[in-house]
């Protein structure tokens, strides 16, 4: 069973989360449900600092032994920090997807885009429906 | 088992180099010291230790000569020994590729005639033998398509590929600058004709199909498929990985196929060598011959020669002429079997696959229940639902019974896929014993699922930690 | 001769279980009008004995030359008997790619050992399980560099093997990349001014070969900074693997990729194939390089074992986003190379020295002839270019004696005029060389 989806952040339909950290920046990662589907993550290809992305465009890649999945950016903006820890320890995403397993921080182009994302309750509902 | 490096002892050697019979000159007088290196740190072992090392390794390896190898889409048929023996004749092994043609008429004859035989078997105008393997043949085939449209001055940017396709198809297309559009399968496992019609627009270079497809099913609507693709000026490409299904029964060229690549190491019995060498000839329809790679063997009277001047060729994809020694084996095979033998091979391969399908259908789900060609695809869904035993567990359990497992989790559209290709060279007793084992495992999965999940129990190593291998890659000894 | 074991009774029982009367019914999905009515138009099948005779007859239309003076990408070396013995074990040659690791530990360990030996020989950190040949390895390195850097220009030196340049050209054309050729200088080494002019911030890779097509050893340490200054990647190739036994490896001098032809390590010339492409890189490209990789790990009881690893790089998982479509490689040829390297061990250097000495002797003797003169001044390994009055006549005289002559450079390098590329390996005795010199004199 995946961990509950924290209410302090927003969710995309591609299973990313975005947490508003103020000053027009967000921290993002993949959800616990996503890491569960992917199984053991063996590699995370982090974006370059300064990379500019549009909302729901691929920005990073996570790999398990037998699969490769894009990570989509929950907002448009510029990558300002990445979680270097994941280069050596990709398993942190499996262990703590909502916390230590964050992937990147972005400076948002338009904070209003957060409204395009789901809240925790709706995301929880969505993954429940997917299972059926 | 120890690594060869761990067996190394300074000062040992398995070979001696002849003393120089030419005047002694200091190497540093010929090549500056700054360009020279220290010794390469290679293992130092005696010859007997070398032989024992590799003999022990060979005993930890499973080949067709060890047991039944029903690996779907890989055509692991028996590799006749005469092929190996003649391929080792000094006339075939010891000749330099740039030898004058008068010294190499035998090699040229084999290549020339092999092209003719393949053209006849597959109904194509000609074949190029240069590609080293199926995937390179496929890349060459897509390059031919690209060149064809380039010469016609048409800009086409997409290639259509069914959702059942092998991963090389999209990869080859992308390497030629095409974007890949997926065509879904219909309920009976063939190309969805309605969707194909929609997708086959003027900017599509062609459709890459595999026929029979990776579900082991012959494309019943092949005439319609061909008509739709050709009406829009597209090229119909066939991945010939499954050619063992129809030799002597039908010709792809007659079915409207414009380009096909083969795998001599599948269909024509050349051994796979733990992953290669293969050989991937490409056959094309008449107006595409001019785009094939160079050089090509030509025949003037009784003499064979090389011809390099084909201005519309895609160029060269490999040094020299391809994997010549593999071609010798395929040629020998065709000469042994003849037209009757090839037909019988395909008929029997299809018979064997349908026999296995009938024998196992009560025990495993059969997502596409119709006559199959040379392979049949089951799903392990029932086992997952009933006892949590996955296809990968069933495969590992087969190892305990002395079999190489079928291909699993492919094609991607079948969940928990089990793809069985028995080949024509297996006896009824072998097929029966395999089916009995598959049935026994189905029963084990119900009664003792933990046993199946913990397999293999009898191999030299147990299940290996692939996650560790990928997270902490150790691909070079002594560097981690 | 066919290899189908079924008796008529077997077939009867099988068709009965399937529920058909004849095997023909299994081909019902093939539209009737496309079914072949008669047999294919091919020579009739034969018994094994007849086929053996036939094939011996064809092989005898090939010469087995007593002396080969041709190198140019394929080399005549002595192959220790152990090599043929090991690769003839059918547990190896009749196996498929080792996807089922538990019953493929033999080849997986052998490939892991091969990768290690190749990494050591090339001075690199990583080597894959093999590519098709040296040329396709070079082309794949160029494509990988372009995709990694998102740059579309490839610089290649004219002294790279002509067929390698053609293969690179084909792969580059397919991908839409530009290829710029730069000249070699008077010494036979690449022209550094031309290199420095050609490399810019659009350049993905610089492709060089050492020893180059003329046998000349390049000075990579001097080239490397010029390539990296513009952020491009250096791909250093070789066609003569045994040179790795004595020449400082490109990996120790800053190359990003070392690629080349491994045939010289224990594989016969086979009229051009199968050979094996060697592909090695720095650690940085570990998760991007093409082809298969065997990796060490442990089983559930903690015992060391080997698997194919980092498979997400490959086409069967990454599909259209893979940087290469390679699937089959040349595993058995790589096994031969591994056995060869184990057999020679530290003697690889001695063998390389012997090659240098034989070539030096042949070059010195030919240079004594009137009108024969070495073309390049830079040091060479076991090949060299020599200018002579009439290359075609020289080769005709050698051919008349059953000898495979030297490579005539006229077709690929018209600017070199009457020049031949000779190769001398350990297979030539002093008597052979003296005979060759007297024949062409």
């Amino acid at each position: 069973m995946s961990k509950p989806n924290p209410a302090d952040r927003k969710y995309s339909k591609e299973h990313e989360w975005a947490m508003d950290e103020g000053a027009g920046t967000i921290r993002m990662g993949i959800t616990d449900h996503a890491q569960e589907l992917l199984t053991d993550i063996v590699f995370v290809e982090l974006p370059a600092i300064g990379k500019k992305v549009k909302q729901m465009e691929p920005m990073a890649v996570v790999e398990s032994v037998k699969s490769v999945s894009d990570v989509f950016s929950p907002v448009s903006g510029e990558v300002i920090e990445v979680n270097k820890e994941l280069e050596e320890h990709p398993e942190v995403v499996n262990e703590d997807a909502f916390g230590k397993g964050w992937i990147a921080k972005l400076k948002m182009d338009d904070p209003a885009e957060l409204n395009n994302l789901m809240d925790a309750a709706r995301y929880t509902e969505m993954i429940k429906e997917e299972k059926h | 088992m120890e690594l060869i490096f761990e067996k190394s002892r300074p000062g040992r050697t398995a070979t001696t180099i002849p003393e120089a019979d030419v005047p002694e000159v200091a190497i540093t007088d010929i090549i500056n010291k700054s360009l020279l290196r220290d010794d390469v740190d290679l293992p130092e072992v005696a010859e007997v230790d070398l032989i024992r090392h590799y003999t022990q390794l060979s005993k930890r390896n499973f080949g067709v000569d060890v047991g039944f190898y029903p690996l779907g889409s890989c055509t692991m048929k028996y590799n006749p020994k005469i092929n190996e023996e003649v391929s080792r004749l000094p006339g075939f092994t010891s000749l330099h590729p740039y030898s004058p043609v008068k010294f190499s008429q035998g090699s040229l004859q084999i290549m020339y005639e092999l092209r003719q035989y393949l053209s006849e078997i597959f109904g194509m105008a000609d074949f190029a033998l240069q590609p080293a393997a199926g995937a390179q043949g496929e890349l060459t085939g897509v390059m031919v398509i690209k060149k064809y449209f380039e010469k016609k001055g048409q800009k086409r940017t997409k290639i259509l590929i069914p959702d059942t396709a092998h991963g090389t198809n999209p990869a080859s297309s992308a390497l030629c600058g095409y974007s890949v559009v997926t065509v879904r399968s219909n309920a009976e496992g063939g190309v969805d004709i309605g969707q194909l019609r929609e997708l086959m627009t003027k900017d599509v270079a062609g459709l890459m199909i595999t026929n029979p497809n990776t579900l082991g099913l012959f494309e019943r609507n092949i005439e319609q498929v061909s008509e739709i693709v050709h009406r829009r000026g597209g090229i119909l490409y066939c991945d010939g990985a499954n050619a063992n299904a129809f030799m002597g029964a039908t010709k792809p060229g007659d079915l409207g196929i414009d380009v096909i690549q083969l795998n001599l190491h599948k269909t024509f019995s050349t051994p796979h060598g733990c992953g290669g060498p293969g050989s991937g000839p490409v056959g094309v329809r008449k107006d595409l011959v001019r785009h094939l790679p160079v050089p090509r063997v030509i025949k003037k009277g009784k003499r064979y020669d090389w011809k390099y001047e084909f201005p519309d060729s895609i160029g060269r994809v490999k040094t020299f002429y391809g994997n010549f020694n593999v071609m010798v084996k395929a040629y020998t095979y065709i000469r042994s079997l003849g037209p009757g033998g090839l037909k019988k091979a395909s008929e029997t391969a299809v018979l064997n696959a349908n026999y296995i399908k009938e024998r196992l259908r009560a025990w495993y789900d059969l997502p596409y229940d119709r006559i199959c060609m040379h392979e049949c695809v089951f799903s392990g869904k029932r086992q997952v639902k009933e006892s949590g035993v996955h296809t990968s567990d069933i495969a590992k359990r087969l190892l305990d019974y002395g079999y190489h497992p079928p291909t699993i989790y492919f094609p991607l559209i079948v969940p928990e896929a089990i793809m069985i290709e028995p080949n024509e060279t297996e006896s009824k007793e072998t097929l029966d014993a395999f089916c009995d084992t598959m049935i026994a495992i189905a029963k084990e999965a119900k009664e003792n699922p933990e046993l199946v999940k913990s397999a293999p129990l009898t191999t030299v190593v147990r299940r290996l930690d692939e996650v560790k291998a990928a997270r902490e890659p150790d691909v070079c000894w002594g560097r981690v | 001769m066919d290899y189908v074991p079924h008796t008529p009774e077997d077939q009867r029982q099988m068709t009965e279980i399937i529920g058909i009367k004849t095997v023909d019914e299994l081909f019902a999905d093939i539209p009737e009008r496309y079914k072949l009515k008669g047999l294919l138009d091919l020579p009739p099948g034969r018994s094994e004995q007849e086929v053996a005779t036939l094939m011996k007859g064809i092989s005898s239309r090939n010469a087995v030359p007593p002396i080969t003076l041709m190198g140019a990408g394929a080399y005549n070396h002595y192959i220790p008997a152990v090599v043929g013995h090991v690769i003839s074990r059918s547990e190896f040659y009749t196996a498929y790619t080792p996807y089922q690791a538990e019953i493929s530990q033999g080849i997986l360990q052998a490939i892991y050992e091969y990768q290690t030996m190749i990494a050591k020989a090339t001075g690199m950190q990583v080597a894959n399980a093999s590519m098709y040949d040296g040329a396709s390895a070079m082309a794949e390195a160029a494509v990988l560099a372009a995709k990694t850097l998102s740059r579309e220009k490839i610089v290649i030196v004219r002294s790279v093997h002509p067929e390698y340049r053609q293969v690179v050209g084909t792969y580059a054309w397919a991908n839409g990349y530009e290829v710029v050729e730069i000249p070699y200088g008077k010494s036979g080494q690449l022209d550094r001014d031309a290199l420095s002019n050609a490399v810019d911030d659009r350049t993905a890779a610089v492709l060089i070969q050492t020893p180059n097509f003329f046998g000349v050893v390049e000075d990579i340490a001097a080239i490397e900074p010029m390539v990296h200054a513009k952020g491009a990647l250096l791909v250093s190739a070789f066609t003569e693997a045994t040179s790795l036994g004595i020449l400082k490896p490109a990996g120790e001098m800053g190359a990003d990729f070392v690629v080349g032809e491994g045939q010289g390590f224990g594989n016969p010339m086979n009229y051009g194939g199968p050979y094996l492409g060697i592909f090695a890189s720095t650690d940085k490209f570990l998760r991007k390089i093409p082809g298969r990789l065997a990796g060490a790990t442990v089983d559930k009881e903690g015992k060391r074992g080997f698997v194919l690893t980092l498979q997400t790089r490959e086409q069967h998982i990454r599909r259209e986003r893979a940087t290469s479509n390679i699937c089959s490689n040349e595993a058995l040829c790589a096994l031969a190379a591994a056995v060869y390297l184990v057999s020679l061990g530290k003697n690889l250097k001695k063998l390389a020295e012997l090659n240098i000495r034989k070539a030096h002797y042949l070059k010195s003797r030919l240079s004594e002839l009137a009108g024969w003169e070495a073309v390049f001044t830079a040091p060479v390994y076991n090949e060299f270019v020599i200018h002579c009055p009439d290359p075609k006549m020289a080769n005709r005289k050698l051919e008349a004696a059953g000898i495979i002559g030297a490579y005539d450079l006229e077709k690929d390098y018209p600017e070199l005029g009457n020049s031949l590329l000779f190769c001398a390996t350990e297979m030539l005795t002093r008597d052979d060389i003296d005979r060759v010199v007297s024949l062409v004199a």
Side-chain angles (χ1 to χ4, degrees), chain C residues 240-279:
Chain C
E240 169 52 299
T242 65
S243 69
L244 297 176
I246 193 154
L247 298 179
K248 186 177 275 189
E252 281 179 17
M253 294 182 285
D256 299 285
F257 299 97
V258 177
V259 296
E261 180 51 68
Q263 174 265 330
F265 289 157
N267 283 274
M269 289 186 289
N270 276 333
Y271 198 61
Y275 298 167
L276 68 145
I278 284 173
F279 193 108

Side-chain angles (χ1 to χ4, degrees), chain B residues 234-286:
Chain B
I235 297 282
L236 185 54
Y237 181 101
C238 180
D239 181 332
N242 293 338
N244 206 42
F246 57 75
M247 288 186 294
T250 189
K251 294 184 181 183
D254 294 350
L255 299 169
I257 303 297
D258 305 307
V259 183
I260 185 170
Q261 118 280 336
L262 305 173
N263 303 64
L264 298 185
H265 50 284
K266 294 179 180 174
T267 317
F268 293 95
S269 87
T270 75
H272 202 60
C274 289
S279 176
V282 187
V284 294
R285 74 177 191 215
K286 203 163 175 216

